[in-house]
Amino acid sequence: MEAYPLLQTANATNTVEKLSDPSIGDSSAAFRTKTSIDGFPVTGFTIFFVKKDVFEALDLEGTSADYATLKNLANVSVSKIR
């Protein structure tokens, strides 16, 4: 089964924007995605980070995605890495 079959059949547009470094872990990056599927807007945020030998990617998507919430979750996650 292919991932995201709805996107393959819908009239979808996507944009990706790199955000400023969220300063999480030893190295990190953040992106905002904006998708419109048949006029229905979906916003997403992704944070990638590395701490020691651990790589994590956290993603939050929805009609009211909140970057501050995702950043808080990433900070909790990085604090658990020993």
Side-chain angles (χ1 to χ4, degrees), residues 46-68:
T46 303
I47 294 176
F48 299 99
F49 70 84
V50 174
K51 181 175 179 184
K52 298 184 179 181
D53 62 346
V54 177
F55 167 80
E56 285 196 32
L58 299 173
D59 187 57
L60 178 66
E61 294 182 56
T63 55
S64 62
D66 181 11
Y67 181 61

Side-chain angles (χ1 to χ4, degrees), residues 2-28:
E2 292 184 44
Y4 304 107
L6 177 63
L7 292 179
Q8 295 173 0
T9 59
N11 182 14
T13 58
N14 300 292
T15 60
V16 178
E17 173 188 1
K18 185 172 184 190
L19 302 175
S20 62
D21 183 351
S23 300
I24 297 171
D26 301 327
S27 179
S28 59

Side-chain angles (χ1 to χ4, degrees), residues 26 49 51-54 56 75-82:
D26 301 327
F49 70 84
K51 181 175 179 184
K52 298 184 179 181
D53 62 346
V54 177
E56 285 196 32
N75 279 309
V76 168
S77 181
V78 81
S79 73
K80 306 281 184 188
I81 299 169
R82 304 284 177 218

Side-chain angles (χ1 to χ4, degrees), residues 6-7 10-14 35-42:
L6 177 63
L7 292 179
N11 182 14
T13 58
N14 300 292
T35 303
S36 178
I37 303 170
D38 287 331
F40 184 75
V42 176

